[in-house]
Amino acid sequence: MPDVRSMCAIGLSGQIGLNGHLPWEGNPDPEFREDVANFFRNTRGHVLMAGPTTCRAVPAYERQFMTIFELRSHMDPLETLAKFAGRVVYIGGGPPVWDVYAKYIRHWDITRLPYDGPADRWFNPAWLVDNGQK
């Protein structure tokens, strides 16, 4: 089994998505730019497993520094994770991915950003609970 982790940023009210993007995407303020830079610093050299939207969001200049593996709903989580035994795997999210993979994540790195605007996707605190299925 790999070392399974996740990094995410959430708004002040738990916002994580809006129309398939981060709700604050493109915000030039320093804390938002630093959050993106921190994500790429920490995932370099590792595996990013995510759904198609998140995989497409990784800029071309960062792809060379990580292994990107696109998740699909028909994939068995344990078989999929086993492909990367001994590696650090970051589970990139969105609710459909975290609903399936949260129980395998041993470390969450969560950044609270000063955003309190609209969203259509929210962080679910239940993802943080170890349900004994690891």
Side-chain angles (χ1 to χ4, degrees), residues 33-128:
R33 289 195 334 262
E34 177 55 28
D35 179 64
V36 172
N38 185 53
F39 176 83
F40 289 122
R41 261 193 314 274
N42 284 294
T43 56
R44 281 186 177 181
H46 302 301
V47 178
L48 173 63
M49 296 176 82
T53 301
T54 302
C55 288
R56 282 192 304 270
V58 176
Y61 62 86
E62 287 292 343
R63 292 176 173 274
Q64 65 184 319
F65 300 114
M66 67 182 72
T67 301
I68 298 176
F69 186 87
E70 192 171 298
L71 297 171
R72 296 295 188 172
S73 60
H74 69 274
M75 295 175 171
D76 177 86
L78 285 174
E79 288 177 17
T80 304
L81 289 168
K83 295 175 190 227
F84 300 101
R87 303 257 332 250
V88 173
V89 172
Y90 283 91
I91 303 297
V97 173
W98 286 325
D99 283 344
V100 174
Y101 285 85
K103 62 185 157 196
Y104 305 106
I105 296 170
R106 72 158 194 90
H107 177 80
W108 287 86
D109 184 346
I110 300 172
T111 302
R112 195 64 161 296
L113 291 174
Y115 174 85
D116 208 17
D120 57 16
R121 298 276 192 253
W122 306 86
F123 189 84
N124 182 352
W127 293 326
L128 301 175

Side-chain angles (χ1 to χ4, degrees), residues 3-56:
D3 177 0
V4 185
R5 304 175 184 192
S6 192
M7 291 185 71
C8 69
I10 63 175
L12 296 174
S13 298
Q15 306 96 319
I16 58 173
L18 180 62
N19 300 320
H21 300 279
L22 297 172
W24 47 82
E25 192 168 309
N27 187 314
D29 292 346
E31 54 268 75
F32 296 96
R33 289 195 334 262
E34 177 55 28
D35 179 64
V36 172
N38 185 53
F39 176 83
F40 289 122
R41 261 193 314 274
N42 284 294
T43 56
R44 281 186 177 181
H46 302 301
V47 178
L48 173 63
M49 296 176 82
T53 301
T54 302
C55 288
R56 282 192 304 270

